Amino acid sequence: MKEYTLSDGTLVMIKTYEEWMQDRMHMTEEEFRAELDRTACYRPEGTDDVINLYRNKYREYVDRIHLDHISLTVLEYLKAYEGHTPATFHEMCVATGLSRTDETAWLESIRQAWEQHEDNIIPF
């Protein structure tokens, strides 16, 4: 783990990429790469594409640590934590056959998560 000081002065511990991979995949990137190369015939993506996907997921992990300490609007929260704008969220719901009632309920749960996020920010 490495220490990182956020812009508000808060000191946080962030897992290194290798620690994160070990926790998530129970192997190092090198071991995971070897496993991907061994099973290459079972997937269309190349090994480097899969590794890049996990590197992006690690960056999201680090970004979320930073976001946990920043006040966000509900729209910023939707984009940062769900990866959607209201329009893309609705498109995803339509594409998956979700009813309008279920979509509204899901958005409400996201709004509640945003409220918890905002309630947990320590003002300075």
Side-chain angles (χ1 to χ4, degrees):
M1 293 228 186
K2 58 185 176 179
E3 289 183 355
Y4 186 82
T5 304
L6 299 174
S7 60
D8 67 2
T10 304
L11 183 66
V12 294
M13 300 300 289
I14 299 177
K15 293 177 187 174
T16 65
Y17 173 70
E18 285 299 329
E19 290 169 329
W20 180 85
M21 276 296 286
Q22 189 68 44
D23 286 351
R24 186 174 181 101
M25 301 303 295
H26 307 291
M27 58 183 88
T28 65
E29 181 182 296
E30 186 178 318
E31 294 165 335
F32 185 49
R33 182 178 289 279
E35 183 68 19
L36 289 170
D37 287 341
R38 188 180 69 74
T39 60
C41 60
Y42 298 110
R43 60 184 164 67
E45 307 89 4
T47 296
D48 288 338
D49 292 339
V50 175
I51 294 296
N52 286 335
L53 174 74
Y54 278 87
R55 286 185 177 271
N56 286 336
K57 287 188 179 295
Y58 174 74
R59 279 190 283 281
E60 288 174 8
Y61 154 77
V62 173
D63 288 347
R64 285 189 176 163
I65 289 171
H66 290 83
L67 289 173
D68 281 345
H69 302 275
I70 298 172
S71 182
L72 302 170
T73 67
V74 71
L75 293 177
E76 290 169 334
Y77 184 90
L78 179 67
K79 183 68 175 167
Y81 285 90
E82 301 295 328
H84 284 288
T85 64
T88 63
F89 183 82
H90 176 69
E91 289 170 9
M92 176 198 59
C93 291
V94 169
T96 58
L98 206 62
S99 72
R100 189 70 172 152
T101 302
D102 289 338
E103 178 181 347
T104 301
W106 191 359
L107 275 174
E108 178 60 20
S109 71
I110 292 169
R111 189 192 61 73
Q112 289 172 358
W114 166 74
E115 285 179 354
Q116 285 182 327
H117 166 84
E118 291 299 300
D119 289 345
N120 289 325
I121 294 176
I122 301 169
F124 289 97

